Each structure stands twice: as structure tokens, then as C-alpha cells.
Amino acid sequence: MNVFTCNGCDYQSMTAKYVCPKCRQGKFETREVSSKGTVYSFTDIHIAPAEFAGIAPYTVALVQLDEANVKVTTRMALGVQIGDCVELDRIEDGAFLYKGV
Amino acid sequence: MTDVYVHGIGMTQFGTFVDRTMKDLLLDACVQALEDAGNPRVDAVFIGNFMGGAIYNQEILGAIVANELGLGFIPTAKVEGACASGGIAVRQGVLGILSGEYDTVLVAGVEKMKHASTADVTQAINAAMDNDSNEKHAGLTFPGFFGVLANRYFYETGASKKHLAMVALKNREHALNNPLAQFQKATTLDEIMGARIITNPLGLFDCSPMTDGAAAVVISREKSSVHIRSSAQASGPTQMQDADDLLSIPAIGESGRMAYEKAGVGPGDIDVVEIHDCFSMTELLAIEELGFFNKREGWKAIEEGRTKATGDKPVNTSGGLLSRGHPIGATGVAQIYQLVRQLRGTAVNQVDGARLALAQNLGGTGSYSTVHILERV
């Protein structure tokens, strides 16, 4: 998957900015990294907004990527714990759907 | 330091008022505040409101207030900043006076939520996330965001679900004495811990409710017994995955830092606090961000009862969002209502001799935060 890295400092992000919020000068370049990572934290969503009510309960996990100083918000099946090794299963409707390694 | 003072306050009962219109609630709070202020001439109106257009099909709230109250052809505006709409409206009023443009401003906040379904309200609240982000597409919600924070907070500290429950219980116990609060039924730690899960570890009592209600204040450059010593606002990440430190909400810390600096006071000087406890977890992080307790140690202060009305740093003596209720656009104004009563010595859960008070109002996933520091003079 793609992450954005500042060409002026060590700032990295899942999302590009107009200017680097850390050094306030650098511009962003894309870099392709492995989708593999570790669950940093998570929650199981039992009460969902109307557009997701049909798939609840589901887990939203914040994943620390192995190959970049970047965290990515993902959706997973229930049963996740902090520290689990995970990877991208597929991208669906703009969401990163992750699974255990 | 500002030269702005509070002259009048008003607030409706918070709760379920399906039979009252948004205009009715809004005008009720405004009239109370105007009467409390001695019906001064008003130069402008600012209204905090988040979802009046989305789920109640009602906008032009500022003009409605000016027209219905016969205030004349004065300028008005609705202010939107998600759950910080009310705090930002107060700040716009303060700035309008500081600019020299206005002498006296009416600020109010209102929300109508109870007529709509939970799924529809949750959907409308999600407008405060970035629609183009992968995390909104993943199905993240606001209780979900604070659930993710809570699980990490537990992982890094000695805190547990019991500490969240202790926040919820404290605020409920405060609300029992507040006749305007939404929830006035006693509860127990066991009931809170055993309630149905919304987004684990957050259960029903860890989440602020849907609420109908309104609050209003009249502020002026004319002196009164309550001085708005400082007003500050900051922004923060609009996405969870952009946080440098997941257990920090920089908008709260930065708005607090600026408010302390402008007021020339520090966290240790504050006698009574209203904080944005949209979730029990949010109160834990906010008391840390505002410097009342060390980072990652807010849970210890809860355990020791230090944030109770009887403690050394009373937080949410109104019952907070969790039990006073959270009519979104009204919340930031209702915080000022409670603190003015504290400084006048007429509050529920009165803190003896309160002189300096702090209100902090949060919007989005830490997207907006306002802090106002009030002083009895």
C-alpha cells in the first residue's frame, strides 16, 4: 500500500497534506510499503450508523505498519487483540479490510 | 485578558421534548438569559447548532431569534463546529466585543435529537468525520474512536473499565442534584459495568446521550460580577490515523495552554471545571491535557475521588455531558451556564468560594476545542 513521506523531514502519513505539518516546508512523495503491521488498538462496534448497521458488530483496528512510521485505520472481523500481526485482505468501498497473518 | 463580562444566563431542562420545537427551546433559553441580564440592548446574536439542518430541517436560527425577540435588524449567525459549536459561538461573541464592533451580544446553543432514530442521529453525527477518508469508510464512529483510545489507554496504564465507570458514576451523582439534568436516577458501579456494550470497552453509561435542549448567555463589555478572563480555540487531527500520540488530543492541550497564557493563570489556580465528557474516556484524557493531572495518570485522580464536587479539582459539577445531557450545539453554552452559577455562589453542587472556573468544549475526533476561563470579580 502507499504511504506519504515528507521530502524535507522524517514525517510520514497515510494522507498527503499540502505542506508537511511537522517541518512546514516539505512536500509529500508516495512510497509503496508492505501492508503488514501490528494492531495498535481496536474497538468492536456494536451500535453502528445507518450505513453500517447491516454488518455490525464489526471491529475497527488501528494498525501500526511494519515498514513505515504510519498507522492506518482498518476494518476487521471480531476477535482482534492489541499486538496481533495483520495484513491487508482487500480494499472495499474505500475501506482497508484487514485479516490476521 | 478580555474586557468581556457575563450578564445573564438561561437554560432549558435537558432531556426528551419531542413535543417542543427547536425554536421554542431556543427562545426559552434566550428569554431567561435576557431577563437575567436586565433586558439590555443586544447588538448581535450567535447561535451554536450542529444538525438542525440535517435532522430537523431548520436553519436561519440567528435571524429567528432576532426576529421573534424583537431585537431589531441586528447581525446574527449560526456557528457550526460539531460538538464544539456552542463553545465556538461563545468565542465569536467574545471576539465581536473585543473587536469593538459590539457592546452586548446574545449567544445561545440548541439541538433537537430525540425525535430521530439512533441510527439516523449516529449517521448525522458522523458528518463530523472526513467523508473522503478510509477510516470513515471502515465504519469508525465517535464512540468507536474513544473505544479505540480506551483500549490503548488500558494497555499502557493501570486503568480498566472500572475507572471509566467511576467517571460515569461521579457525573451521575452530580446530576442527581441538578434539576435541569437529563438523568436524575441513581445508579451503581455494577449497573454501569454491566450495561450493554456500544463500542467496547464503552458501554451505555460511558456514552453521552441524545438530548433536546438549549442554553444561552448574554455577554457585554459593561462590567459584571463574572469576567471572561480568556477565550482560546485550537484545531487538531480530523482522522484517528493522523494522531502522533493516540492518547493525546492536541486541540484540548493547545486551547488550554493558550487560555492559561492569556489569563495569566495555571491549572493549579482553577477552582471548578466543566469538561467535554462526550464519553467517560474523553474526561480522563481532558483532565490530563488541561494539566490538572499527569499524562497517563488521570485514572488515578478518578480513583482517589479528586474530581468529585467534594474533591480538590471538581469536574463537571453539572453532571457533564454524560448525565446533564448533550444537546450538541447547546453543550458549550450550558458549560458556561453552570460555571457562572458556581461563580455567583448559586450552583448545584456548589464549590465553596469558587473564584476561577474553566470550560472546555470539544468537537469531532479532537478537530476543535475551545477553552474559556471565567473569574468572579
Side-chain angles (χ1 to χ4, degrees):
Chain A
M1 57 202 305
N2 284 327
V3 299
F4 295 91
T5 61
C6 175
N7 64 12
C9 74
D10 61 353
Y11 185 84
Q12 304 181 352
S13 173
M14 267 308 289
T15 55
K17 318 284 182 194
Y18 171 64
V19 67
C20 174
K22 186 173 175 186
C23 68
R24 303 279 180 93
Q25 290 178 348
K27 294 290 184 182
F28 283 85
E29 298 166 346
T30 47
R31 182 162 71 90
E32 190 169 341
V33 298
S34 163
S35 71
K36 286 188 176 172
T38 306
V39 172
Y40 187 79
S41 194
F42 71 98
T43 189
D44 303 325
I45 296 189
H46 293 263
I47 305 296
E51 63 183 309
F52 292 102
I55 61 166
Y58 55 90
T59 294
V60 171
L62 187 63
V63 173
Q64 171 68 58
L65 296 181
D66 288 343
E67 293 183 0
N69 183 25
V70 168
K71 296 187 189 76
V72 56
T73 301
T74 70
R75 185 163 76 235
M76 299 187 67
L78 297 186
V80 173
Q81 294 298 325
I82 291 175
D84 285 358
C85 294
V86 295
E87 65 183 357
L88 182 68
D89 180 19
R90 63 189 190 278
I91 297 174
E92 191 176 282
D93 297 331
F96 294 110
L97 304 191
Y98 263 59
K99 61 178 184 182
V101 174
Chain B
M1 297 264 276
T2 78
D3 284 319
V4 181
Y5 298 81
V6 180
H7 285 251
I9 53 173
M11 179 174 155
T12 67
Q13 171 87 44
F14 279 10
T16 303
F17 299 107
V18 175
D19 294 336
R20 293 186 71 179
T21 65
M22 180 184 280
K23 182 170 99 174
D24 178 33
L25 291 167
L26 180 58
L27 296 180
D28 183 349
C30 287
V31 167
Q32 287 182 45
L34 287 167
E35 287 182 350
D36 188 38
N39 290 306
R41 196 179 64 106
V42 171
D43 301 315
V45 174
F46 292 97
I47 308 294
N49 177 253
F50 175 48
M51 52 172 67
I55 65 166
Y56 195 71
N57 199 36
Q58 180 66 70
E59 298 282 10
I60 64 161
L61 298 174
I64 285 175
V65 165
N67 186 65
E68 294 288 317
L69 298 181
L71 300 179
F73 301 143
I74 58 172
T76 72
K78 183 191 91 169
V79 176
E80 188 282 314
C83 301
S85 298
I88 300 173
V90 171
R91 179 169 161 76
Q92 291 306 306
V94 169
L95 294 176
I97 292 170
L98 290 179
S99 76
E101 183 80 0
Y102 310 129
D103 290 333
T104 300
V105 174
L106 172 63
V107 181
V110 66
E111 211 72 60
K112 275 282 288 180
M113 305 168 74
K114 295 297 286 187
H115 61 289
S117 72
T118 302
D120 285 344
V121 171
T122 307
Q123 182 89 6
I125 292 173
N126 265 19
M129 285 192 192
D130 181 345
N131 280 350
D132 293 349
S133 67
N134 61 286
E135 71 181 36
K136 182 156 183 180
H137 295 310
L140 186 64
T141 62
F142 283 96
F145 171 68
F146 286 101
V148 173
L149 267 58
N151 277 326
R152 187 69 198 185
Y153 192 83
F154 294 175
Y155 184 79
E156 290 194 21
T157 70
S160 68
K161 186 172 165 65
K162 184 179 159 197
H163 296 95
L164 299 184
M166 292 172 89
V167 172
L169 181 62
K170 167 186 72 79
N171 291 348
R172 176 60 61 91
E173 286 174 346
H174 290 170
L176 296 181
N177 298 323
N178 184 355
L180 297 181
Q182 182 167 5
F183 296 129
Q184 294 172 49
K185 183 170 165 286
T187 185
T188 62
L189 266 189
D190 284 348
E191 186 183 18
I192 295 171
M193 299 275 286
R196 73 186 166 101
I197 293 295
I198 305 297
T199 55
N200 79 331
L202 305 182
L204 186 63
F205 289 77
D206 293 301
C207 304
S208 53
M210 290 161 51
T211 310
D212 299 330
V217 297
V218 173
I219 58 177
S220 174
R221 71 174 69 253
E222 295 288 326
K223 288 195 164 46
S224 79
S225 62
V226 177
H227 179 205
I228 300 178
R229 202 169 158 116
S230 67
S231 171
Q233 183 182 347
S235 301
T238 53
Q239 296 184 38
M240 174 171 77
Q241 62 196 0
D242 275 349
D244 279 344
D245 171 5
L246 186 66
L247 299 185
S248 172
I249 300 179
I252 300 179
E254 183 63 10
S255 57
R257 187 193 64 72
M258 288 189 289
Y260 290 135
E261 187 178 298
K262 291 179 188 196
V265 301
D269 299 319
I270 303 296
D271 299 312
V272 60
V273 181
E274 289 287 311
I275 258 173
H276 195 91
D277 58 325
C278 47
F279 302 95
S280 50
M281 185 63 220
T282 326
E283 179 164 320
L284 274 180
L285 291 177
I287 59 177
E288 296 178 5
E289 286 290 346
L290 292 168
F292 300 132
F293 305 103
N294 292 334
K295 290 285 179 73
R296 315 296 205 252
E297 292 183 1
W299 61 281
K300 293 181 182 172
I302 300 298
E303 197 169 78
E304 293 162 1
R306 297 180 64 184
T307 57
K308 292 182 176 179
T310 51
D312 65 308
K313 193 61 73 177
V315 173
N316 287 331
T317 60
S318 66
L321 283 60
L322 288 172
S323 278
R324 180 193 59 220
H326 183 28
I328 294 177
T331 285
V333 185
Q335 293 178 325
I336 303 292
Y337 176 92
Q338 173 69 5
L339 293 181
V340 169
R341 293 194 63 161
Q342 284 284 358
L343 297 178
R344 288 177 175 178
T346 60
V348 295
N349 302 303
Q350 178 66 45
V351 173
D352 284 345
R355 188 182 70 84
L356 275 174
L358 182 148
Q360 181 267 322
N361 189 199
L362 184 70
T365 52
S367 303
Y368 301 94
S369 176
T370 62
V371 171
H372 289 91
I373 294 177
L374 278 56
E375 180 184 21
R376 172 169 51 82
V377 291

